[in-house]
Amino acid sequence: MSNTYPRTFSHIGISVPHLDKAVEFYTQVLGWYLIMEPTEITEDNSAIGEMCTDVFGAGWERFKIAHLSTGDRIGVELFEFKNQENPQDNFEYWKTGIFHFCVQDPNVEELAERIVAAGGKKRMEKPRYYYPGEKPYRMIYMEDPFGNILEIYSHSYELIYSAGAY
């Protein structure tokens, strides 16, 4: 019999078209820590080469990767693959898979403007309140400069949703 308990979140992997620009954006705008400099990995018989072939299949040739960490110790792997493709629409929320990630900042508006100034964009005109007139919980959907969808919350996930139904 196994115990069920909430696992912790280790890391996410994000594909980007320009690794160096993405490292600059995520460290300077979101303040994440760079914990491993951008590195090129090639398809070969090394341990990492074989591991990546297990994951991607044969023929991936090479990619660049950097490792970052958020303020709450969540890892972020940034990948730039050979022949990286940018989708026409990176917000196909109706398709199975992860369609966004969320960061938390009490000053939603200021971070949103910093993202726009760095080449990202707002997917909503302005932040919205979850419980207008009742609680100060706000959110906004954004895009990073590479088309990845990110959301900003003003308060913790648990605080926002433990307040009850909408």
Side-chain angles (χ1 to χ4, degrees):
M1 198 159 132
S2 68
N3 291 338
T4 301
Y5 56 91
R7 273 51 176 199
T8 56
F9 203 91
S10 172
H11 69 277
I12 60 170
I14 302 172
S15 289
V16 296
H18 303 289
L19 186 68
D20 294 331
K21 290 179 182 176
V23 167
E24 183 180 323
F25 172 79
Y26 284 111
T27 57
Q28 292 182 11
V29 177
L30 295 189
W32 294 349
Y33 306 111
L34 179 63
I35 57 175
M36 189 185 94
E37 295 279 339
T39 303
E40 185 163 276
I41 307 295
T42 55
E43 188 172 8
D44 58 21
N45 293 329
S46 68
I48 189 69
E50 289 182 356
M51 182 192 318
C52 292
T53 298
D54 285 348
V55 175
F56 304 127
W60 55 272
E61 293 183 33
R62 67 181 181 274
F63 64 86
K64 289 181 9 185
I65 186 170
H67 294 268
L68 293 84
S69 181
T70 67
D72 56 343
R73 303 188 309 251
I74 301 301
V76 179
E77 292 177 322
L78 296 178
F79 291 86
E80 177 189 324
F81 290 97
K82 178 182 178 278
N83 302 323
Q84 188 89 32
E85 290 181 20
N86 290 340
Q88 265 325 91
D89 178 7
N90 215 19
F91 197 53
E92 295 178 324
Y93 55 86
W94 61 93
K95 291 186 177 179
T96 299
I98 297 168
F99 71 87
H100 77 279
F101 63 91
C102 185
V103 298
Q104 186 179 317
D105 190 309
N107 196 333
V108 173
E109 297 78 4
E110 182 182 304
L111 181 55
E113 292 308 321
R114 290 191 67 201
I115 290 170
V116 169
K121 65 183 185 183
K122 294 180 183 178
R123 292 211 54 110
M124 301 166 65
E125 186 182 333
K126 62 181 185 196
R128 292 276 199 176
Y129 282 85
Y130 273 92
Y131 308 95
E134 282 182 58
K135 299 195 181 295
Y137 307 158
R138 299 176 322 289
M139 59 75 71
I140 189 170
Y141 270 81
M142 306 288 297
E143 279 186 33
D144 73 8
F146 319 103
N148 292 302
I149 310 301
L150 69 134
E151 186 178 15
I152 307 168
Y153 270 13
S154 60
H155 292 74
S156 74
Y157 187 82
E158 289 176 326
L159 263 182
I160 290 172
Y161 293 104
S162 67
Y166 299 112

